[in-house]
Amino acid sequence: MIALSRAFCRRPPPLPSQIAAPVLQFDFEKSPGSWISLTYQTIRRALDSELKHQDITFRQWEVLAWLAMCGDLSPGMLADRLNVEAPTLTGIINRMERDGWLEKTSREDDLRCKKLHPTEKAEAIWLSSLECCLRVRSRATAGFSEEELALLKSFCERIRTNLGDGGCRPCEEK
């Protein structure tokens, strides 16, 4: 009897017209930015999982990747490429320097300006981390033809061009 009276006391579910619209709305299904961001996050998580076995974090790997692409960079240039604030990067650089992965050197034309240079120890870590990258790349691109991958690359380049970063010259100073 009690269960029956509780059933009668419940309010009926609201009608669709009575439900307030969510405050935060966006058409994510049609957003290339969302697609790319979600894909990047998935790749990053997969790579981070692989890199843990090599005793290197994803951020440390990113530092080495930019140095591999561009050669020696100043901490400020590196922070810009990683899209992080300089203080955030300082802790990462300090740990990598403490662990013997990086050296700071002064530029010849301006002794106040420091450049980061990977050490031989970093080279060994980099080589082992590349195996992780290749495994993740293989998983991520499984089932894609070479033509599809070339098309994907061209689409990404076109988006960067449309947004004003078409040259995507990551190693040049601004």
Side-chain angles (χ1 to χ4, degrees):
M1 185 73 156
I2 293 174
L4 186 59
S5 64
R6 283 186 188 151
F8 284 112
C9 293
R10 289 188 194 144
R11 290 185 173 172
L15 299 172
S17 62
Q18 296 171 324
I19 299 174
V23 176
L24 303 175
Q25 293 183 16
F26 185 72
D27 190 1
F28 291 101
E29 288 296 315
K30 293 184 179 180
S31 170
S34 278
W35 309 334
I36 292 168
S37 178
L38 291 170
T39 303
Y40 166 75
Q41 291 171 11
T42 302
I43 291 171
R44 180 181 173 156
R45 277 192 296 274
L47 183 54
D48 191 47
S49 177
E50 288 275 341
L51 291 171
K52 284 179 185 175
H53 303 292
Q54 303 296 323
D55 293 324
I56 181 173
T57 67
F58 180 78
R59 279 290 188 205
Q60 290 170 327
W61 177 84
E62 280 185 310
V63 166
L64 295 180
W66 279 106
L67 295 174
M69 278 191 289
C70 301
D72 298 353
L73 291 171
S74 71
M77 290 169 58
L78 187 57
D80 185 54
R81 270 112 190 124
L82 292 171
N83 200 28
V84 298
E85 297 294 324
T88 301
L89 185 59
T90 299
I92 296 164
I93 290 171
N94 288 344
R95 282 189 300 280
M96 292 176 78
E97 193 175 20
R98 178 200 67 203
D99 294 342
W101 297 9
L102 295 178
E103 294 173 342
K104 287 181 188 167
T105 58
S106 297
R107 282 187 5 196
E108 291 179 17
D109 62 330
D110 185 352
L111 297 178
R112 295 170 298 166
C113 184
K114 302 295 182 195
K115 293 284 186 173
L116 300 171
H117 179 76
T119 64
E120 287 184 25
K121 187 174 182 180
E123 180 73 19
I125 293 163
W126 176 249
L127 292 174
S128 66
S129 72
L130 288 181
E131 295 173 17
C132 297
C133 297
L134 293 174
R135 282 193 297 272
V136 170
R137 181 193 299 174
S138 178
R139 288 174 41 210
T141 59
F144 285 90
S145 69
E146 291 299 318
E147 294 79 21
E148 289 172 321
L149 292 173
L151 194 56
L152 176 59
K153 181 180 178 189
S154 73
F155 289 157
C156 291
E157 289 169 351
R158 191 178 325 160
I159 289 171
R160 290 193 307 270
T161 298
N162 290 347
L163 295 176
D165 195 18
C168 192
R169 295 172 292 277
C171 301
E172 292 181 6
E173 287 193 58
K174 291 184 175 181

